Amino acid sequence: MIEQDWIWGFVGGLVIGTAGAVYLLINGRIMGASGIVGGLIDGTGMRTMWERLAFIAGVILAPIPLYPLYKEVDTHITGNLVAIVAAGLLVGIGTRMANGCTSGHGVCGMSRLSLRGIVATVFYILAGGMTMVIFKHVLGVI
Amino acid sequence: MRNLFAFISGALFGGGLFISGMTDTAKVQGWLDVFGDWDPTLAFVMGGAMIPMAIAWWFTQGRKPALGGDFPERPEPKIGRNLVLGSVLFGMGWGLVGLCPGPSLASLSYGGPGHWLFVGAMLAGMVAAVPLRRLLPAT
């Protein structure tokens, strides 16, 4: 049984990077989760609709055959529904405004030393860290 | 062919997110929470993902994508309001629950109702971003 620790984090990271490399070198596109989904939402990506849907289907389905390797599959998501809705809205609006998220700006952008990718990553990590300080340590609500 | 390789890439992405523990919100929040019981996993995931990706970018030089077309051009290194403000809003949501777009999709099959609610709200946010992007044109 596999324990989810940093070694598996690194191995999983290599697989994530390989996914980005396949999407770039074969399909010629940047693997950004928020952009792939967002292009279907605002209609700007309809020309490549099937490619986007195929990617999303792969993301959703791939973990299923891997469950048996783990003794527990728990995402430890909060039970605070207000926090979940607020977080989802913020992630949806923010990633579309910034044109990218952890995969597009983070993995794909930073690996080509893109200034925009690096700046975006610095800001979302700082904002995420500040949110932990405020909502966990000061307010104690998450 | 494009759809097949998009599916393969998506499957590697989803599988990698699952293996790495990035669909576990406790690991993501544990990494962001430097004043708590700090969890270094996310840094190893990012570091691991950079390696094949950096090689891939290097490999694109002077070549074309295998299935035709052109590689995405390097965007102008312009830092505008939308990039910064959008990233701050995204980071706040990311910290609040510990999910970003990729892992929120990868965990849909096993995360339960909380994850469905998150993805629903995220899609609503993406819809709301459409008029917002018109109001706030890129600077």
Side-chain angles (χ1 to χ4, degrees):
Chain A
M1 292 294 170
I2 295 172
E3 287 283 333
Q4 282 179 322
D5 58 11
W6 65 267
I7 299 171
W8 287 103
F10 183 72
V11 173
L14 289 172
V15 178
I16 293 168
T18 305
V22 167
Y23 209 49
L24 179 68
L25 295 176
I26 298 180
N27 288 42
R29 298 194 195 287
I30 290 177
M31 185 195 72
S34 61
I36 291 170
V37 177
L40 294 173
I41 298 288
D42 64 18
T44 54
M46 281 310 171
R47 210 172 44 82
T48 51
M49 181 177 76
W50 290 109
E51 198 174 344
R52 289 164 190 265
L53 289 174
F55 180 89
I56 294 167
V59 178
I60 296 174
L61 296 176
I64 296 174
L66 300 173
Y67 299 164
L69 298 174
Y70 294 84
K71 55 174 176 278
E72 60 152 11
V73 178
D74 189 350
T75 62
H76 301 106
I77 191 168
T78 175
N80 185 335
L81 300 183
V82 178
I84 291 177
V85 172
L89 287 170
L90 284 166
V91 169
I93 293 172
T95 53
R96 294 306 285 153
M97 272 185 79
N99 255 323
C101 58
T102 344
S103 45
H105 278 316
V107 175
C108 299
M110 292 209 297
S111 61
R112 80 189 305 199
L113 300 176
S114 149
L115 181 67
R116 285 172 56 80
I118 294 167
V119 168
T121 303
V122 167
F123 276 99
Y124 64 67
I125 288 174
L126 284 177
M130 287 292 293
T131 302
M132 289 306 290
V133 170
I134 295 168
F135 286 87
K136 185 180 173 194
H137 296 290
V138 179
L139 299 174
V141 290
I142 55 170
Chain B
M1 272 311 250
R2 302 195 73 87
N3 299 340
L4 174 66
F5 281 99
F7 180 80
I8 292 171
S9 169
L12 287 168
F13 185 49
L17 286 168
F18 182 77
I19 294 168
S20 68
M22 289 298 97
T23 58
D24 183 349
T25 62
K27 283 204 174 293
V28 174
Q29 290 188 318
W31 186 78
L32 288 169
D33 186 13
V34 282
F35 299 109
D37 187 13
W38 193 63
D39 185 328
T41 308
L42 192 145
F44 285 96
V45 180
M46 249 318 170
M50 293 288 172
I51 298 169
M53 207 52 223
I55 296 170
W57 280 120
W58 171 79
F59 194 79
T60 60
Q61 290 174 342
R63 291 188 175 84
K64 296 269 186 193
L67 294 177
D70 290 295
F71 285 117
E73 275 178 44
R74 182 178 276 277
E76 270 189 60
K78 263 172 56 175
I79 308 305
R81 175 196 57 210
N82 287 7
L83 182 78
V84 173
L85 185 59
S87 295
V88 168
L89 294 177
F90 162 44
M92 287 168 62
W94 190 39
L96 207 51
V97 165
L99 281 175
C100 51
S104 78
L105 296 175
S107 58
L108 267 182
S109 70
Y110 57 92
H115 287 251
W116 310 336
L117 185 63
F118 180 89
V119 171
M122 179 176 81
L123 296 178
M126 288 181 170
V127 172
V130 177
L132 201 65
R133 292 216 298 186
R134 253 193 307 263
L135 280 172
L136 296 171
T139 44

